[in-house]
Amino acid sequence: MYKVHCLNNISKKGLDCFTNDYEIVDSIDEANVILVRSANMHDMELPDSVKCVARAGAGVNNIPLEALAEKGIPVFNTPGANANAVKELVLAGLLLSCRDIIGGCNWVRENAEDENVGKSAEKAKKSFAGGEILGKTLGVVGLGAIGRLVVESAEALGMNCVGYDPFLNQEKAKEISEKLLFTEDLNELLSKSDFVTIHVPATAETSGMINADAISNMKDGVVFLNFSRDKLVNDKDMAQALESGKVAKYVTDFANSAVVKMTNTIVIPHLGASTAEAEDNCAKMAAEEVMAYLERDEKIHCVNMK
């Protein structure tokens, strides 16, 4: 009997995938399997009984990959399982960034006591007017599971897309979309785009990649969307770009002490993968990966060992 401990709430639909050979336990001390979403594992001392760790999600920066590899403990993630949920929030971010929907809704609430609020709104609405995304160019940095879905949906909404991914070439990019303009030069993408959305993992190489130099290559008045990780963006440089108007709007799914003080931001409380469907999909995939490893020694989506 393998014993499974959950560091975060894990979808019941995922836990139900485990066969009778697995038991969900409350104590980590007896665990053979650790299931995790966002809990920080870097300072945890895991018991010797742990055989594997599965992250119900894609990002693994909350897990000490190398330390676990040294102990022979594989770590699995679930790439693509939450991709649609994130894609849909990116689309929402696009629309919120160019139409002041939030400001307009706040105005209505603030004027709730006005008996003639409808008539007043007709006069006030010009303050919340915006633009349209139709015909605009969206730069997609990273063309993995999420990025390619964003391209597909943005093109369906009438946008032009420019894509960049150091792990793809022109031929592979054409498999995503025949209309996609693929470039091997990130600065070319930045210079062509009215909106830029980033979908790359947070690593030592990508940390702070959106800095003053990168921003200087962007169009004046660009909208930047970050639904990947806050560490990808240099907060000080972004704050300065927002103050100057170089960046018209910064839409981020990651609240931190710096970004919540910035002007012209839409800060979302990390809702990217927070849908019932995404949580179910991630949990199911994680359970299947665990069983494949423990029963058949298959390492599916293992991120720290071969």
Side-chain angles (χ1 to χ4, degrees):
M1 176 74 72
Y2 294 111
K3 300 191 176 185
V4 180
H5 177 73
C6 304
L7 294 179
N8 301 103
N9 290 328
I10 301 295
S11 161
K12 185 177 182 301
K13 289 186 177 180
L15 298 180
D16 287 345
C17 290
F18 285 112
T19 65
N20 292 332
D21 294 326
Y22 296 81
E23 176 187 3
I24 309 301
V25 296
D26 293 330
S27 174
I28 193 173
D29 293 332
E30 54 183 320
N32 306 122
V33 177
I34 301 292
L35 295 184
V36 60
R37 290 174 60 199
S38 59
N40 187 347
M41 296 183 63
H42 284 280
D43 296 324
M44 286 185 179
E45 285 292 334
L46 298 182
D48 293 338
S49 57
V50 172
K51 298 180 180 296
C52 63
V53 173
R55 158 79 163 99
V60 289
N61 54 313
N62 59 320
I63 304 172
L65 301 181
E66 292 184 8
L68 292 179
E70 290 174 1
K71 294 181 179 180
I73 300 174
V75 177
F76 309 104
N77 71 343
T78 59
N82 59 17
N84 186 71
V86 178
K87 176 210 75 175
E88 290 188 2
L89 199 60
V90 172
L91 297 179
L94 277 169
L95 296 171
L96 290 173
S97 71
C98 56
R99 304 286 294 273
D100 191 8
I101 298 168
I102 295 174
C105 290
N106 288 340
W107 181 93
V108 172
R109 288 291 185 186
E110 292 164 2
N111 290 272
E113 300 303 318
D114 181 358
E115 293 183 358
N116 298 307
V117 64
K119 184 177 291 186
S120 299
E122 290 300 320
K123 297 178 181 178
K125 68 181 182 181
K126 61 184 178 183
S127 300
F128 311 110
E132 301 180 13
I133 62 173
L134 181 67
K136 302 296 195 309
T137 297
L138 173 65
V140 183
V141 181
L143 296 168
I146 297 170
R148 59 187 59 210
L149 288 181
V150 170
V151 169
E152 178 183 1
S153 293
E155 288 183 344
L157 291 170
M159 300 189 80
N160 304 307
C161 290
V162 183
Y164 165 82
D165 192 312
F167 299 102
L168 295 184
N169 54 32
Q170 292 282 357
E171 183 178 352
K172 289 293 183 181
K174 287 298 181 185
E175 295 176 4
I176 298 173
S177 169
E178 287 289 336
K179 295 187 292 183
L180 174 66
L181 175 61
F182 179 77
T183 177
E184 296 181 359
D185 182 356
L186 176 59
N187 288 332
E188 180 184 4
L189 178 148
L190 298 176
S191 68
K192 290 179 179 292
S193 302
D194 303 300
F195 302 81
V196 178
T197 181
I198 189 165
H199 302 284
V200 302
T203 65
E205 290 74 24
T206 61
S207 180
M209 65 181 287
I210 304 303
N211 53 23
D213 287 341
I215 293 170
S216 69
N217 289 295
M218 298 181 189
K219 283 185 177 182
D220 292 344
V222 68
V223 171
F224 192 86
L225 302 100
N226 180 9
F227 290 85
S228 291
R229 284 291 181 269
D230 58 347
K231 293 181 179 179
L232 302 174
V233 176
N234 181 300
D235 285 335
K236 181 181 178 180
D237 293 349
M238 179 58 72
Q240 292 176 347
L242 288 164
E243 286 287 349
S244 70
K246 176 68 175 181
V247 176
K249 192 80 70 174
Y250 178 36
V251 186
T252 177
D253 201 22
F254 307 98
N256 63 38
S257 59
V259 74
V260 296
K261 298 181 180 72
M262 295 181 194
T263 186
N264 294 323
T265 56
I266 297 175
V267 185
I268 302 169
H270 202 187
L271 300 181
S274 294
T275 67
E277 294 88 346
E279 291 180 9
D280 289 345
N281 291 340
C282 289
K284 289 176 183 177
M285 185 182 292
E288 291 165 358
E289 290 167 349
V290 166
M291 291 188 289
Y293 173 66
L294 294 178
E295 297 171 20
R296 302 187 298 277
D297 198 31
E298 295 179 16
K299 294 188 181 77
I300 302 172
H301 298 134
C302 182
V303 295
N304 69 331
M305 299 170 63
K306 293 183 179 180

